[in-house]
């Protein structure tokens, strides 16, 4: 049994056929070929699949796909505007905040969720903001510095 | 070149990473691609008495089933090629591959696995490497549970005369240290995509850290010349040594060769943790002969490395560990025996340093114990014994470009530790 799922993905409407058991990560990666959310653990532990649903960061692997019907979903594919990198993308690149790069999309989304709510976070608030995202290469210091640089206005759009 | 020296250089793949345009292997989807799941051994040790995959093959949605019978070449791989892709008979660890199913999706493939009839005669396993070395222990391997190096059952390092050193010492300091099994836990689990390309070559997208090592192993498994395999790699979502061993490419390649359709085989995090190679656990026994002035004049080390059911890089890991475990010191008398033992656990192989950092951890603890025994600060013992330019290491190599003392001074500075003047005056240039 499959259901039609309609939602907004990075500002554009999409429709797709999904099973009731498909997670949002299955829908994005396997049905829509939107692969920035990564399948690191499929278990809610690593944060590599973090996306925004109506502006809130969620783990796509723990979100049943059908629950995003009619909602706005944002992924890293939607961060660039008019071909220009988002300030967080520029800052991550210039601060070497991506090593193997596998956790990076989830980190970027977690950072965006934080700055959208709190544009001037303290270092502690940044650490708290990315506390759900694991990086096995150990780029946490660079990630925090990149987010601090954006918050300090060094990467104005 | 000069324009780069002393300047930060942005990563060539950095924009790909921050825009998520970097394509990892699991991001690749091919039209008509099928998904593989693998039947693994539910027991630690045993013999396969009966294997019947016919019901799984007949199931709707299943495109193919493969077992040891479907390996056209050599059913063995590894740096020491002793591990079968699918075991034909003997099971040496829980999680060993027995059969693989390709189906329209992973759910269907998992249902098909349940239809495979498997009859295993379970045998008594052995998990403790010390028990595995005892006479009469269950045999993990027919040839015995201790790896045979070209130097015999131990990797031997012999330098000077340790017994003479112990006789001349003021104090003897002994210690036993253990380190645990580690999983590499890269963010990207093991995954492989394989298909037959438009020129009839077998194409494989791989997460390999060792493309050319693995290509060589795959040619033997597939019985194909290298020019019939397109092995496409380069993008790795973290490896830490786990991707020095093949985990998925052989299975995906064999399936693509049999069913002539694109396939993906990927581990779940649970499969990754349960079945892939590990950093093996170690036990280190140290006996040092020490002078009251702080000089270590004799060091005996016996190590036992548990490499699990197959060799993997285990013997190589013991080689590297044995060469360096006595530490970066000018000790005139050194004796090292490195032992590599098989147990009924997942194979252990490379992880970040091939056994060196485990040895360093043990050496650091032992050297701190030496300091305690003679009432000196550990910094003092490290400085006194540290290699100087031109010293001979225990494997007879001459130390060149020595910098340990300078590195330790800098480490102390960074840690906010004020070293005494006589240590600060020391240099790697001489004694």
């Amino acid at each position: 049994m499959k259901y039609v799922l309609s939602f907004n993905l990075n500002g554009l409407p999409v429709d797709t056929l999904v099973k009731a058991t498909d997670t949002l990560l299955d829908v994005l990666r396997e049905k829509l070929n939107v692969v920035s959310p990564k399948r690191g653990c499929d278990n809610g532990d690593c944060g590599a699949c973090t996306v925004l649903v109506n502006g809130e960061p969620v783990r796509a692997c723990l979100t049943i796909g059908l629950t995003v019907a009619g909602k706005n979903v944002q992924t890293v594919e939607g961060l660039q505007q008019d071909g220009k990198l988002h300030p967080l993308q520029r800052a991550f690149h210039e601060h070497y905040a991506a090593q193997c790069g596998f956790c990076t999309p989830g980190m970027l989304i977690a950072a965006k969720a934080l700055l959208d709510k709190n544009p001037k976070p303290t270092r502690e608030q940044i650490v708290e903001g990315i506390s759900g995202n694991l990086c096995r290469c150990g780029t946490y210091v660079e990630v925090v510095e990149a987010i601090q640089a954006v918050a300090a206005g060094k990467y104005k759009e | 070149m000069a324009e780069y020296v002393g300047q930060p250089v942005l990563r060539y793949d950095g924009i790909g990473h921050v825009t998520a345009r970097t394509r990892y292997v699991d991001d690749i989807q091919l039209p008509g691609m099928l998904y593989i799941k693998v039947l693994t051994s539910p027991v630690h040790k045993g013999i396969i008495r009966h294997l019947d995959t016919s019901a799984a093959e007949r199931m709707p949605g299943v495109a193919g089933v493969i077992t040891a019978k479907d390996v056209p070449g050599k059913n063995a791989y590894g740096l020491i090629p002793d591990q079968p892709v699918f075991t034909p008979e003997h099971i040496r660890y829980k999680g060993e591959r027995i059969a693989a199913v390709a189906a329209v999706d992973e759910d269907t493939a998992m249902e098909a696995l349940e239809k495979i009839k498997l009859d295993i005669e379970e045998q008594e396993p052995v998990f403790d490497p010390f028990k595995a070395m005892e006479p009469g222990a269950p045999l993990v391997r027919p040839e015995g549970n201790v790896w045979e190096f070209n130097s015999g059952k131990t990797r031997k390092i012999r330098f000077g005369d340790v017994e003479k050193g112990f006789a001349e010492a003021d104090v003897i300091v002994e210690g036993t240290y253990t380190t645990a099994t580690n999983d590499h836990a890269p963010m990207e689990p093991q995954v492989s995509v394989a298909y037959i390309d438009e020129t009839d070559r077998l194409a494989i997208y791989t997460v390999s850290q060792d493309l050319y090592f693995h290509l060589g192993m795959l040619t033997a498994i597939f019985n194909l010349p290298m020019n019939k395999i397109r092995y496409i790699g380069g993008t790795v979502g973290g490896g830490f040594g786990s991707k020095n061993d093949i985990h998925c490419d052989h299975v995906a390649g064999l399936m693509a060769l049999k069913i002539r359709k694109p396939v993906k085989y990927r581990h779940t995090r649970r499969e990754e943790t349960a079945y892939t190679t590990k950093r093996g656990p170690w036990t280190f026994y140290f006996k040092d002969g020490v002078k009251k002035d702080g000089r270590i004049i004799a060091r005996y080390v016996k190590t036992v490395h548990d490499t699990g059911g197959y060799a993997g890089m285990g013997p190589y890991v013991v080689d590297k560990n044995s060469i360096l475990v006595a530490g970066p010191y000018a000790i005139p008398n050194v004796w090292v025996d490195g032992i590599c033992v098989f147990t009924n656990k997942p194979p252990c192989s490379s992880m970040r340093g091939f056994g060196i950092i485990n040895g360093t951890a043990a050496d650091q603890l032992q050297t701190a114990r030496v300091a305690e025994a003679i009432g000196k600060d550990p910094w003092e013992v490290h400085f006194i014994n540290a290699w100087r330019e031109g010293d001979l290491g225990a494997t007879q190599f001459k130390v060149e470009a020595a910098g340990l003392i300078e590195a330790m001074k800098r480490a102390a500075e960074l840690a906010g530790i004020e070293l005494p003047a006589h240590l600060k005056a020391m240099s790697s240039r001489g004694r």
Side-chain angles (χ1 to χ4, degrees):
Chain A
M1 179 78 184
K2 292 197 175 176
Y3 304 86
V4 176
L5 169 65
S6 303
F7 63 103
N8 240 290
L9 177 61
N10 296 320
L12 291 171
V14 291
D15 306 301
T16 185
L17 275 179
V18 302
K19 289 191 284 189
T21 51
D22 285 337
T23 64
L24 178 56
L25 187 61
D26 296 331
V27 174
L28 292 170
R29 289 185 59 85
E30 318 292 338
K31 309 275 178 194
L32 300 171
N33 209 16
V34 171
V35 293
S36 73
K38 301 301 179 200
R39 199 184 292 276
C41 67
D42 226 2
N43 203 34
D45 293 325
C46 77
C49 68
T50 307
V51 299
L52 298 180
V53 175
N54 285 353
E56 288 292 328
V58 303
R59 284 160 168 24
C61 75
L62 293 185
T63 306
I64 292 295
L66 287 169
T67 65
V68 304
K71 294 182 180 171
N72 293 312
V73 174
Q74 280 174 283
T75 67
V76 169
E77 284 84 351
L79 278 186
Q80 281 172 275
Q81 295 295 325
D82 304 323
K84 278 172 36 188
L85 294 179
H86 186 278
L88 279 166
Q89 291 175 305
R90 281 161 54 209
F92 268 55
H93 178 45
E94 291 176 15
H95 285 79
Y96 306 90
Q99 190 169 319
C100 85
F102 204 80
C103 73
T104 307
M107 285 281 189
L108 283 166
I109 294 295
K112 178 172 159 48
L114 170 71
L115 294 184
D116 285 350
K117 281 205 180 119
N118 179 4
K120 297 282 171 203
T122 63
R123 192 179 187 285
E124 286 65 32
Q125 287 167 331
I126 293 172
V127 169
E128 175 67 26
I130 60 162
S131 63
N133 295 72
L134 296 180
C135 170
R136 178 67 175 82
C137 304
T139 58
Y140 300 110
V141 172
E142 289 79 5
V143 168
V144 170
E145 285 170 1
I147 299 170
Q148 281 180 314
V150 173
K154 289 177 188 158
Y155 288 89
K156 286 211 171 64
E157 282 172 75
Chain B
M1 201 63 195
E3 66 199 280
Y4 298 114
V5 175
Q7 300 297 321
V9 179
L10 289 174
R11 294 176 60 106
Y12 78 97
D13 55 359
I15 294 291
H17 288 354
V18 300
T19 56
R21 292 209 314 265
T22 302
R23 278 291 171 270
Y24 299 89
V25 175
D26 193 30
D27 298 341
I28 295 163
Q29 286 206 45
L30 301 175
M33 192 169 73
L34 298 152
Y35 292 83
I36 294 174
K37 290 302 262 186
V38 168
L39 177 71
T40 57
S41 168
V43 304
H44 300 284
K45 181 168 163 60
I47 296 176
I48 299 173
R49 291 301 181 198
H50 181 69
L51 177 63
D52 178 3
T53 60
S54 54
E57 285 165 43
R58 287 196 302 270
M59 206 182 115
V62 170
V65 180
I66 54 173
T67 66
K69 289 182 192 148
D70 298 287
V71 182
K74 198 173 156 190
N75 188 7
Y77 70 101
L79 182 68
I80 290 147
D82 70 341
Q83 184 171 1
V85 182
F86 296 106
T87 182
E89 188 180 12
H90 287 277
I91 288 159
R92 300 198 163 92
Y93 68 96
K94 186 177 174 178
E96 184 153 10
R97 285 175 298 268
I98 295 168
V101 170
V104 288
D105 55 37
E106 283 158 322
D107 289 352
T108 308
M110 281 194 282
E111 277 181 50
L113 291 183
E114 289 177 16
K115 294 194 188 300
I116 295 176
K117 292 192 184 79
L118 175 65
D119 180 15
I120 299 174
E121 181 188 325
E122 205 173 339
Q123 296 174 321
E124 189 195 349
V126 61
F127 302 122
D128 181 331
F130 289 91
K131 287 207 175 114
M133 285 191 283
E134 285 171 8
L139 281 179
V140 182
R141 314 270 298 207
E143 70 276 17
N145 291 342
V146 179
W147 174 258
E148 287 279 346
F149 292 93
N150 57 8
S151 53
K153 289 194 186 300
T154 63
R155 169 53 74 218
K156 297 180 171 69
I157 307 289
R158 305 285 185 264
F159 185 62
D161 181 345
V162 278
E163 289 307 326
K164 184 168 160 276
F166 290 144
E168 289 168 3
D170 297 324
V171 190
I172 300 293
V173 183
E174 291 176 277
T176 300
Y177 311 94
T178 58
T179 62
T181 309
N182 295 161
D183 186 73
H184 315 73
M187 297 296 289
E188 175 199 46
Q190 310 290 336
V191 52
S192 180
V193 171
Y195 67 104
I196 307 297
D197 82 358
E198 60 283 4
T199 63
D200 215 29
R201 286 181 294 182
L202 172 62
I204 300 176
Y205 287 100
T206 180
V207 296
S208 173
Q209 290 177 247
D210 268 337
L211 276 140
Y212 295 96
F213 277 117
H214 292 172
L215 182 57
M217 294 172 197
L218 293 173
T219 58
I221 294 167
F222 302 144
N223 195 25
L224 287 175
M226 277 195 195
N227 67 351
K228 291 292 177 195
I229 305 172
R230 277 176 73 198
Y231 201 41
I232 310 154
T235 303
V236 180
F240 314 105
S242 69
K243 290 164 186 171
N244 273 337
D245 288 274
I246 303 175
H247 298 288
C248 295
D249 292 338
H250 39 24
V251 173
L254 287 169
M255 186 64 85
L257 282 173
K258 179 161 183 188
I259 67 173
R260 316 292 291 181
K261 291 188 174 80
V263 293
K264 179 182 280 186
Y265 175 37
R266 58 184 171 189
H267 279 177
T268 62
R269 180 57 59 183
R270 186 189 166 279
E271 290 164 341
E272 180 84 10
T273 311
Y275 308 145
T276 58
T277 51
K278 308 283 169 246
R279 187 205 292 282
W282 288 86
T283 300
F284 300 93
Y285 166 73
F286 278 69
K287 179 181 175 185
D288 286 351
V290 186
K291 289 298 234 186
K292 279 190 180 139
D293 63 11
R295 282 179 297 136
I296 302 170
I297 58 166
R299 175 166 274 189
Y300 169 93
V301 190
K302 182 176 172 184
T303 70
V304 175
H305 176 64
D306 177 355
T307 196
Y310 293 97
M313 294 195 189
Y316 175 66
V317 163
V318 173
D319 284 343
K320 288 201 82 164
N321 176 278
S322 301
I323 290 166
L324 293 156
V325 69
Y329 312 114
I331 304 175
N333 306 295
V334 175
W335 177 296
V336 180
D337 277 340
I339 303 172
C340 186
V341 184
F342 293 107
T343 61
N344 293 110
K345 289 187 279 191
C348 294
S349 196
S350 63
M351 180 174 174
R352 309 205 87 179
F354 300 94
I356 294 170
I357 65 165
N358 300 63
T360 303
D363 153 51
Q364 292 295 298
L365 290 166
Q366 170 70 8
T367 306
R369 190 171 279 182
V370 164
E372 199 180 2
I374 54 171
K376 283 194 184 291
D377 190 284
W379 288 95
E380 181 109 16
V381 177
H382 283 293
F383 270 70
I384 289 169
N385 292 287
W387 277 334
R388 302 322 199 253
E389 192 71 17
D391 279 347
L392 268 193
T395 53
Q396 313 270 348
F397 70 90
K398 194 173 155 192
V399 176
E400 288 176 358
L404 179 56
I405 287 179
E406 289 68 25
M408 288 192 293
K409 281 188 209 171
R410 178 74 179 132
E413 194 182 311
L414 289 170
I417 292 166
E418 185 61 30
L419 293 171
H422 72 285
L423 296 188
K424 278 188 186 170
M426 286 185 186
S427 153
S428 292
R429 305 276 74 81
R431 263 202 174 73

